[in-house]
Amino acid sequence: MKKILLFSLLLPISVLSQSNDKTCETLSKINALVAENHFQPKPVDDSLSVFVFDKFIDGLDSNRNLFTKVEYEKLRKHRLLLDNYITENNCSFMNDFVSTYKLALERKRAVIEKLESVALDYNSKDSVKFSKEQFPFDLTENDFDRVWKKRLRFDILEDISKLSKNADSLQQNFTSIEKTIKKKILDTNLCKVNAILNSKNGLEGVLKNDFLNAFCYYFDPHSNYFSFDAKSNFLSGLSTSNLSLGFDVSLNENDEIVIEEIVPGGPAARNEKMEIGDIITKVSNTTGEEYWVSCSSMETIGDLIFSDTNKQIQLTLRKKNGTTLDVLLQKKVMKATANAVYSFIAEKETRVGYIKIPNFYADFDGKTMKGCADDVAKEIVKLKKDNITGLVIDLQNNGGGSMTEAIKLAGMFINVGPISVLVDNNHNQNIIKDFHRGEVYDGPIVILMNGYSASASEFFAAALQDYKRAVILGSTSLGKASMQTIMPLEEDNENDFVKLTIEKFYRISGESHQIKGIVPDISAPVLFDSLIKRENSFKTALPYDAITTKAKYNPLPTTFNSEIFNLSKTRIDNDLRFKEMRSINEEINFTYNKPRNPVRLTFTDVFKEVHDIDSLWEKVKNVTEKENNLTISNTSYDTEKLAFDEFQKEINTFKMKDVKTNPYLEEAINIINDYKKFKH
């Protein structure tokens, strides 16, 4: 009996030791790859140790309601020693994190389970506080019942408040609604805890991944560790289904599923309730299967959403304003059109071509000739046949993609010459050139950009701006001028990878747009612009700088002169819609930047807090749905083609609606009209 007991006691220690060895082995390989290949590797020292510890611990307990002060101090002893552990190849420190985290999660589970049978008081004088700064680790063992009781009461009251704008109706049915919502909130919290405790890779595996990502993040925000697991399988399989819900998703930094694209004409677009940026929190089907995203595997969620066997899916969405919404969608057979560029003719005094580039897609598998640049060229051919006098290229919300396609596309609008300078970690400069003479279009060009225009979009726009080939209208872009590559930790290892930033792009002038972004020639108000998380918001982002380069280029004579810019700025200042957007932005900035007052845990107070911004969101909706004063039509080629394709005709209707509500397109055409007047 003693031998059996001894074996059972030694087994967890042995398992933890093996896990630590694997963590150290992986960490050592990542560190070697970073040192050799990263654009700007940093020394493994106390600065790294402090940053990685803080990011790691923040990820485990971001709300400061999991660890006690004593537990935090126990872990904090490692804060200045992680660099030593890495150098010594000793990852036994992970034992403290695993055991402490497990104890904290089990305690949280016990507290929540206890509250299942406790009647909560919604008439007390208790309140909850909010802070933009993180709270300190100051809890004791005796605090958790109180803290979680307050947290769950607020969550319950918040969820009830989001059900309706009619407070009286909710108040009348409060008892029955509270019972349902309470069960949902408690189940969700238990589900999240159990998902971590029962992870297929074990708690050690969960913390290993989190720690390795914190380590990679220290070098820059775009470098990270990942294994060939559910995440990559989930995202790579999104477009394989014949039956589709009509949207594309991505995973954000919190591993939440975010609506990234809504395909015009698809079930999601026809529903008219889904928006880009919505977060899917729960999925269910008609047979009763129901899964919370926060505590289900990506394989499970992916199978339910994208398999052809589930033809009807209900999604629970969390909107940008914090409200939740259930959406029922019926799948339909759709053609793959989400990434394709498209064009229209927009008229105001003159005929101008409009081309939308959703992203810089490419055929990475080499199975087709399809790519963003070639598709743009085809659209230009169609537009030129209809005698356009200018071109508007819309890169708003274009997050980038294939740099090869961006290089190819930039070359289509300049007549031979350097486009950009690529620099590696040895300071070697590679001047990227366009070797093809001639341009697919030589008329005036206006590029539309905003804070979500990033990477390849910025590369393309910078080249055309430097050559004075186009004028840029909108707001400053995201500010990412780095290139990443995915590398296996070692040859023949198909399970562990690291995405590393290996090079940095510079404009042909030698200036970087890293952090700075592409500054528009003409600024126009963009809703929520100050809240967009640009590159400069990341602590470990590569810095802005400039280099001396041998790239020689010949910009065009002043295509758009200062008088054209001044006319545009005057119009934008006086435009009623832009004035309204500026006013709304002031309200948005005030609302999101002001300190939140404590909220009493009563239905009345929480309801008021939830619906305090309803009027603001109504203003946002109204201004974004206003139509511009343009005539929008298809090219003659597309008009003829659409006559025989009902599906594409339906998609075209949705695309045209977006163009008709684009406030920047009208000003872009005004700029082109001014250019024509001054040219003559």
Side-chain angles (χ1 to χ4, degrees), residues 28 94 126 129 247 257 303 334 356 382 415 491 514 536 562 580 629:
S28 177
M94 290 294 288
D126 288 344
K129 296 178 181 178
F247 62 83
I257 302 176
D303 285 345
M334 296 183 66
K356 173 70 175 179
K382 293 189 290 186
N415 184 23
E491 287 186 26
Q514 173 68 17
N536 60 6
S562 59
E580 190 175 356
N629 298 308

Side-chain angles (χ1 to χ4, degrees), residues 68 108 130 138 160 193 212 220 227 270 321 339 353 409 421 445 448 453 463 468 470 480 535 546 563 587 595 620 674:
T68 64
K108 176 181 174 180
F130 304 93
D138 59 1
I160 293 173
V193 172
L212 293 177
D220 79 280
S227 57
R270 292 163 67 93
N321 65 354
N339 285 334
L409 186 62
V421 183
I445 301 171
L448 307 181
S453 305
K468 296 185 178 178
K480 178 181 179 290
E535 187 79 358
E563 197 163 352
E587 194 172 344
V620 170
D674 286 343

Side-chain angles (χ1 to χ4, degrees), residues 420-421 429 431 506-511 546-553:
S420 181
V421 183
Q429 293 187 21
I431 299 176
Y506 290 82
R507 301 174 73 144
I508 45 178
S509 63
E511 186 182 13
I547 60 172
T548 301
T549 175
K550 295 179 181 179
K552 304 296 182 184
Y553 69 104

Side-chain angles (χ1 to χ4, degrees), residues 336 361-372 374-375 378 405 408:
Y361 53 89
D363 175 31
F364 292 107
D365 296 327
K367 295 177 182 176
T368 71
M369 294 297 292
K370 184 176 181 180
C372 167
D374 287 339
D375 287 350
K378 291 172 185 175
E405 290 296 314
K408 190 175 177 182

